[in-house]
Amino acid sequence: MQQEKMAAIGSYRGLPLGDRDSLQDVDVPVPQLRPRDVLVRVSAVSVNPADVKIRASLPPSQQPRILGFDGAGVVEATGSDVSTLSVGDEVWYAGDVTRPGSNAELEAVDERIVARKPGSLTFAEAAALPLTATTAWETLVERFGLTSGSRGTLLVLGAAGGVGSVMIQLAKELTGVRVLASASRPQSRDWVRELGADEVVDHRDLVATVRQAAPEGVDYLVSPYSRGNIERYAEIVRPFGHITGIDAPGGLDLRPLVPKSITWHWEYMFTRTTYQTPDLAVRKELLTTVAGLVDAKRIRTTLTTTISDFTAAGLREAHRLVESEHAIGKVVVARQP
Ligand SMILES: NC(=O)c1ccc[n+]([C@@H]2O[C@H](COP(=O)([O-])OP(=O)(O)OC[C@H]3O[C@@H](n4cnc5c(N)ncnc54)[C@H](OP(=O)(O)O)[C@@H]3O)[C@@H](O)[C@H]2O)c1
């Protein structure tokens, strides 16, 4: 039997964005549902650095790779064992790096990582948040173990970016720590202040500006750009402090952290889906909590740019903005404004 087809945006090999083949409009089979999957009709997606990095380095393949991790849309069908969602539910999710993604009309996603989207947000506003909120939540709550009773100082580097923009807000909302945010330009400095940062430091002059804002040093540091920074971290993090690396730099030498007994954590928000860990449903639970915070107006969307062109051309434009490494907030590609 001929399988039903859908429109998607895919890549056959890693190419620079200047090449129109880097992201192409393609027709692919509608995904088959696993028992715990929901089929989501995708209304909006955001582009993350993960999309950009994977797209640029794809090995050649006969089948197009469909990227896209963040998604917001409506449940169109449910697998045989789905018990938490129904057809017609408006949902958001941060996807699974091992499966075809959200840059498509329809996506099959495990119900354990899909939550109801905040009712107060449009699909575009919602699509900006799931992946970065998951990363921020797992970093603050699971790696650092922060709670409302926690004190001390948290330094969020690259704070005007996707992850930092929601991390600042969650740190202020869920924990008692003081938040230092790094930004290097007037627009990014203004943005992190608006989001609630207590102090702004500059990652181009990290040690001096952190020393000014926190003469005793910081207790927790989030590192999205780790290469070449370890000696600096050793200067500005306090003895017994904690750092979470959210990038994947090669050849990192952590020995400068030894004299202060600083702990290095790794955060990779795809760990639960990649290894199908028994606590997979934490991904759904944390997005449900974040949706509640959004609807209570305690967290706001980090959407700053909407591209209302859900085609390869629209996605190439979104990748271009994210590839600059100077995005403020999030870039979303939506089917309607
Ligand atoms: N491990 C995970 O699960 C996970 C999840 C999400 C993201 N990530 C990774 O985390 C990193 C950040 O992600 P994102 O979505 O926040 O990226 P993003 O939105 O592209 O970040 C852009 C921001 O980074 C800042 N920046 C640029 N160069 C910097 C530097 N050398 N030091 C500090 N800040 C710098 C810029 O600030 P200025 O313009 O002010 O300079 C800009 O606001 C990426 O490498 C991404 O792959 C990992």
Side-chain angles (χ1 to χ4, degrees):
M1 199 178 75
Q2 183 102 30
Q3 226 184 321
E4 213 188 325
K5 294 278 181 114
M6 65 171 184
I9 294 104
S11 305
Y12 290 90
R13 63 191 168 110
L15 289 169
L17 279 178
D19 191 322
R20 289 168 66 88
D21 287 346
S22 55
L23 287 162
Q24 305 179 33
D25 293 301
V26 293
D27 277 333
V28 293
V30 168
Q32 304 275 314
L33 295 190
R34 299 173 185 168
R36 300 288 304 262
D37 281 351
V38 291
L39 187 67
V40 179
R41 183 161 289 277
V42 181
S43 289
V45 303
S46 90
V47 171
N48 287 283
D51 293 271
V52 169
K53 291 175 195 174
I54 297 172
R55 187 214 81 239
S57 61
L58 277 178
S61 161
Q62 298 291 94
Q63 301 304 321
R65 170 73 192 263
I66 311 300
L67 291 167
F69 305 110
D70 277 320
V74 179
V75 174
E76 183 147 313
T78 55
S80 54
D81 294 348
V82 168
S83 60
T84 59
L85 292 166
S86 309
V87 171
D89 284 345
E90 296 190 349
V91 295
W92 66 348
Y93 51 89
D96 177 344
V97 74
T98 68
R99 303 186 71 180
S102 58
N103 295 345
E105 274 180 77
L106 296 160
E107 181 181 6
V109 201
D110 191 303
E111 64 166 332
R112 289 167 289 183
I113 63 169
V114 179
R116 286 193 178 77
K117 92 176 216 314
S120 57
L121 297 187
T122 63
F123 288 109
E125 290 167 339
L129 281 170
L131 187 146
T132 51
T134 302
T135 309
W137 180 287
E138 290 182 355
T139 298
L140 296 171
V141 176
E142 300 182 355
R143 304 293 162 269
F144 291 152
L146 297 175
T147 66
S148 56
S150 300
R151 297 293 177 264
T153 303
L154 166 74
L155 170 58
V156 181
L157 291 172
V163 175
S165 297
V166 66
M167 176 107 58
I168 294 169
Q169 299 187 71
L170 284 173
K172 296 299 292 180
E173 191 55 44
L174 301 174
T175 84
V177 300
R178 183 172 165 244
V179 179
L180 267 51
S182 94
S184 74
R185 297 172 300 129
Q187 305 95 301
S188 47
R189 296 173 72 84
D190 289 349
W191 172 253
V192 299
R193 270 202 200 92
E194 264 176 54
L195 293 173
D198 294 300
E199 301 265 356
V200 185
V201 299
D202 188 338
H203 39 259
R204 290 170 314 178
D205 189 13
L206 190 64
V207 174
T209 55
V210 171
R211 282 220 172 106
Q212 226 170 7
E216 311 286 307
V218 304
D219 302 280
Y220 307 96
L221 183 154
V222 182
S223 176
Y225 298 91
S226 304
R227 198 190 307 276
N229 269 329
I230 305 305
E231 301 268 3
R232 292 187 190 100
Y233 296 168
E235 286 189 61
I236 59 177
V237 176
R238 297 175 73 164
F240 310 116
H242 294 261
I243 302 174
T244 294
I246 65 169
D247 55 351
L252 212 56
D253 181 359
L254 299 177
R255 284 174 294 183
L257 308 178
V258 172
K260 286 184 172 172
S261 301
I262 293 166
T263 302
W264 185 279
H265 308 258
W266 289 113
E267 161 59 19
Y268 182 57
M269 56 74 55
F270 292 121
T271 298
R272 286 193 164 102
T273 44
T274 300
Y275 296 96
Q276 293 288 298
T277 59
D279 64 354
L280 185 57
V282 168
R283 289 268 305 266
K284 181 196 208 66
E285 289 158 20
L286 75 85
L287 283 180
T288 302
T289 305
V290 173
L293 292 171
V294 170
D295 282 339
K297 306 279 181 240
R298 288 157 68 185
I299 299 284
R300 62 185 244 200
T301 180
T302 53
L303 170 68
T304 48
T305 307
T306 307
I307 297 170
S308 298
D309 178 12
F310 205 116
T311 65
L315 270 157
R316 283 198 300 274
E317 173 61 7
H319 275 234
R320 192 184 62 73
L321 294 171
V322 175
E323 208 164 64
S324 75
E325 293 194 339
H326 288 286
I328 291 180
K330 293 293 298 177
V331 180
V332 164
V333 177
R335 291 197 190 279
Q336 65 255 332

